[in-house]
Amino acid sequence: MNRCYDVYAFKIGSPESREVAIIFNDITRFKDTENKLKEYQHSLEKQVVVRTKEQAKSNADLEHFAYVASHDLREPLRMITSFLQLLERRYKDQLDTDANEFIGFAVDGAKRLDAMIKDLLAYSKVSSEEREFSLIKLENILEKTLINLKVQIDENNAIITDDPLPTVNRNNKLLVQLFQNLIGNAIKYRSHDKPQIHKSPKEEKNQYIFSVKDNGIGIDSEHQNRIFTIFQRLHRNDEYEGTGIDLAIAQKIIQELGGAIWVESELGKGSTFYFTIPN
Ligand code: ADP
């Protein structure tokens, strides 16, 4: 077996004498371990590449499935809804109150399912659509968002303020949707007080951290993780309308942009949603 040595030579004795000392340090075991570690690291890197490819493929498959399924599911569902509505219109007078109520529940259920399928489609489109990136002033994005939310803002007398926002190299449509979902929620989940929403950016070494702070109903710490999951809601539909898609879409957009999103909140004390965008 070959052995490895660390060799160190140095002069000894007086300058006139020509004596040299050599120290051989046997580092064979150290080198063996080093080589094994290198091999191990190499094989781990290979495994990560393979797994990432597999993961990307299964994500793409899942998104394709969601897209196709939601397209195809809407057609028969439309038929159910329209025939139920026909039944309701044509036989309303011949049916008793219970039967009319049951038809009403069925129509509501079908409409809700349609809304969820539409949302699923929107969710799967976040990463399946081709996108152009360009330099975008976030002030302009905020302006567009506020135009889209004008009705809710006026109805609730919401006050929206922001510290100067930066310019980022990202996709316009995704950012408008992200701002819209977060500000829209801040208005929807308002408390008795007039909604006050403040956006502010902070620049760090490699990223911007944005915050959207509201004075709304707040979120119990117990539920803060699950609100980003698709169709997860903390309220019944008769309390607050919705399907539980907005934060899931917000999270997916942030993933597309290479950042992270989280919330800090206390029940009854407002919420602050944070998200990062690498700069
Ligand atoms: P939806 O509004 O349709 O329920 P979302 O995905 O937007 O769906 O939100 C999920 C849940 O998170 C909501 O049901 C709500 O309980 C909570 N939530 C979201 N934003 C806020 C907010 N700004 N303040 C308080 N609760 C919020």
Side-chain angles (χ1 to χ4, degrees):
M1 186 185 123
N2 292 334
R3 303 202 70 83
C4 290
Y5 293 94
D6 198 10
V7 181
Y8 181 55
F10 54 98
K11 262 189 179 173
I12 51 167
S14 58
E16 304 80 49
S17 65
R18 295 190 168 178
E19 282 174 302
V20 171
I22 300 174
I23 296 175
F24 289 86
N25 193 7
D26 188 342
I27 53 165
T28 313
R29 273 180 61 193
F30 171 76
K31 278 285 166 198
D32 273 355
T33 315
E34 190 182 58
N35 288 338
K36 274 191 191 128
L37 272 176
K38 273 188 191 153
E39 273 170 30
Y40 187 56
Q41 184 186 0
H42 191 63
S43 106
L44 268 182
E45 278 166 4
K46 266 191 181 155
Q47 277 183 39
V48 169
V49 171
V50 171
R51 294 263 160 84
T52 313
K53 272 191 192 154
E54 282 171 4
Q55 184 68 43
K57 184 170 177 335
S58 87
N59 283 352
D61 286 350
L62 201 65
E63 261 144 31
H64 182 68
F65 167 76
Y67 186 80
V68 172
S70 36
H71 253 297
D72 294 350
L73 286 175
R74 289 193 78 197
E75 188 46 43
L77 187 60
R78 238 176 257 135
M79 214 160 108
I80 297 175
T81 317
S82 52
F83 277 100
L84 276 172
Q85 283 168 333
L86 187 67
L87 202 65
E88 195 180 27
R89 273 202 307 274
R90 205 175 281 179
Y91 299 99
K92 202 175 174 67
D93 303 332
Q94 298 163 45
L95 298 171
D96 63 13
T97 338
D98 270 1
N100 275 319
E101 203 180 39
F102 297 160
I103 293 179
F105 288 150
V107 172
D108 277 356
K111 279 187 186 159
R112 207 164 152 62
L113 187 55
D114 190 47
M116 288 172 86
I117 293 175
K118 242 196 317 199
D119 286 346
L120 199 59
L121 203 59
Y123 181 79
S124 69
K125 270 186 185 169
V126 172
S127 49
S128 58
E129 274 186 351
E130 292 274 320
R131 301 194 184 278
E132 280 178 14
F133 280 31
S134 55
L135 277 181
I136 292 164
K137 281 189 182 154
L138 286 179
E139 294 287 348
N140 295 349
I141 297 287
L142 185 63
E143 222 170 274
K144 265 191 206 152
T145 310
L146 298 187
I147 292 172
N148 294 349
L149 291 171
K150 188 167 177 4
V151 177
Q152 285 108 297
I153 292 173
D154 290 351
E155 275 177 5
N156 290 279
N157 294 319
I159 298 170
I160 294 159
T161 49
D162 65 293
D163 294 335
L165 297 171
T167 297
V168 294
N169 186 12
R170 287 293 183 276
N171 176 270
N172 212 331
K173 207 169 134 194
L174 287 184
L175 288 169
V176 172
Q177 193 171 9
L178 174 70
F179 277 29
Q180 195 165 317
N181 290 8
L182 294 179
I183 299 176
N185 272 350
I187 301 174
K188 176 156 97 174
Y189 296 104
R190 59 170 290 183
S191 60
H192 292 300
D193 298 331
K194 183 154 55 168
Q196 294 198 8
I197 299 149
H198 185 74
K199 287 184 70 64
S200 72
K202 201 169 98 188
E203 189 168 6
E204 286 195 337
K205 214 168 37 174
N206 313 315
Q207 64 181 9
Y208 288 107
I209 301 187
F210 297 90
S211 58
V212 180
K213 182 175 166 48
D214 67 49
N215 60 343
I217 58 172
I219 306 161
D220 199 334
S221 57
E222 201 188 320
H223 302 303
Q224 284 170 16
N225 283 335
R226 70 182 178 99
I227 56 174
F228 294 98
T229 307
I230 190 165
F231 299 141
Q232 285 286 329
R233 313 198 61 218
L234 304 182
H235 304 278
R236 290 198 320 269
N237 220 33
D238 54 357
E239 296 172 310
Y240 296 94
E241 263 188 31
T243 53
I245 193 78
D246 290 339
L247 288 182
I249 287 187
Q251 187 179 51
K252 197 138 185 245
I253 290 175
I254 285 295
Q255 280 166 356
E256 280 292 294
L257 301 179
I261 185 167
W262 68 98
V263 67
E264 282 174 14
S265 178
E266 213 181 306
L267 203 58
K269 296 206 174 147
S271 314
T272 306
F273 283 83
Y274 293 92
F275 62 90
T276 60
I277 299 184
N279 60 12

